[in-house]
Amino acid sequence: MRIDIVTILPQLMQSPFSDSILQRAIEKNLVEIHFHDPRDYATDKHKKVDDYQFGGGAGMVMMVEPLALLLDKLKSERNYDEIIYMTPDGVRFKQSIANQLSIRENIIIICGHYKGIDDRIRQQYVTKEISIGDFVLSGGELAASVVCDAVIRLIPGVLNDGTSALTDSFQDGLLAPPVYTRPAEYRGWKVPDILLGGNLKEIENWRHDQALQRTKERRPDLLKD
Ligand code: ADE
């Protein structure tokens, strides 16, 4: 998979890809990440990428031309399955969207800034608009990092234990059950006996019951879906 990230702050996005699982995914060539700065496509001598909005109002808007030139260049080099714009008014990101994106070949993610991007880019290029929640971030970079993390960990071979992504919260529409590790008792706090017994069928049933109970208590909305 190849992800092209359009951002005026590429340095802000370095660290999620320089550690742990995402770093290993890149080293194993399971994913390629490329950053592109719209400033490199600005046509005036000040490298201007934002301007006042027509009609007045506070806040700058990212200009159409640098983004259009950048996106034209990328699209001339390969076919993209999705051109995603990170925005609080997009569809709410969830596991099923991460699953869909994880089997795509090439995607572009555009990070907005200020008041957002000129709407003509959304109309002419963007195929999917994603929000990571009902709050406004200073820019799309952190949101794009969240999406990349959720997607990349699902690519086969990225996690050491291939089954572990399948047992995450949300993968079966339920929250994950509680987990424990050694020691079996600490300060009198005991691990449930059933997990120590070795009966795999009973353990699986117990986990399912716990997952269901947690989901009922914490996220009853998931059960309606
Ligand atoms: N950009 C700013 N806020 C955002 C949000 N909540 N989700 C996605 N992109 C954003």
Side-chain angles (χ1 to χ4, degrees):
M1 178 182 210
R2 173 183 170 118
I3 306 179
D4 289 279
I5 300 174
V6 175
T7 169
I8 56 166
L9 295 174
Q11 68 283 7
L12 183 63
M13 295 201 63
Q14 299 297 329
S15 88
F17 299 100
S18 314
D19 251 308
S20 184
I21 289 171
L22 300 195
Q23 181 191 35
R24 257 186 288 126
I26 293 167
E27 283 168 3
K28 286 202 237 167
N29 290 322
L30 295 169
V31 65
E32 275 179 42
I33 307 288
H34 299 269
F35 295 104
H36 308 274
D37 188 341
R39 267 184 225 290
D40 297 335
Y41 296 81
T43 47
D44 77 317
K45 65 173 190 273
H46 301 295
K47 299 269 166 214
K48 193 173 163 62
V49 289
D50 61 315
D51 210 336
Y52 296 102
Q53 49 178 315
F54 280 126
M60 307 293 274
V61 175
M62 284 177 72
M63 293 160 67
V64 64
E65 187 176 44
L67 287 171
L69 294 175
L70 197 171
L71 294 169
D72 285 345
K73 175 164 182 288
L74 291 177
K75 285 177 70 176
S76 72
E77 290 167 351
R78 68 196 61 76
N79 288 326
Y80 285 94
D81 305 298
E82 283 304 350
I83 300 184
I84 298 167
Y85 173 48
M86 302 307 305
T87 175
D89 59 8
V91 295
R92 181 79 67 86
F93 189 54
K94 54 182 181 173
Q95 192 63 44
S96 58
I97 300 178
N99 293 347
Q100 286 162 14
L101 293 177
S102 73
I103 52 173
R104 301 285 186 251
E105 198 84 17
N106 300 313
I107 62 177
I108 294 175
I109 304 183
I110 305 170
C111 305
H113 258 269
Y114 321 112
K115 272 281 171 205
I117 62 176
D118 188 303
D119 213 74
R120 287 167 288 187
I121 293 292
R122 298 171 76 162
Q123 293 161 23
Q124 300 294 331
Y125 293 90
V126 169
T127 59
K128 207 182 206 52
E129 302 190 324
I130 296 181
S131 163
I132 63 159
D134 291 343
F135 42 81
V136 179
L137 301 166
S138 316
E141 284 76 11
L142 297 179
S145 304
V146 166
V147 169
C148 287
D149 187 290
V151 169
I152 292 169
R153 63 194 296 285
L154 297 172
I155 298 171
V158 168
L159 296 184
N160 288 333
D161 175 356
T163 60
S164 81
L166 296 176
T167 58
D168 286 340
S169 275
F170 305 112
Q171 278 299 12
D172 55 1
L174 297 176
L175 300 182
V179 292
Y180 300 87
T181 185
R182 285 183 289 187
E185 184 170 346
Y186 177 70
R187 298 191 194 169
W189 307 333
K190 290 190 178 146
V191 169
D193 283 337
I194 199 148
L195 296 176
L196 309 174
N199 182 330
L200 295 183
K201 191 71 209 151
E202 276 182 18
I203 291 173
E204 196 184 315
N205 289 340
W206 179 87
R207 285 186 171 146
H208 184 73
D209 288 347
Q210 292 285 318
L212 202 54
Q213 198 178 315
R214 272 203 171 178
T215 310
K216 270 186 198 151
E217 282 165 14
R218 299 176 187 199
R219 292 292 307 277
D221 56 301
L222 292 177
L223 296 173
K224 284 194 214 108
D225 291 350

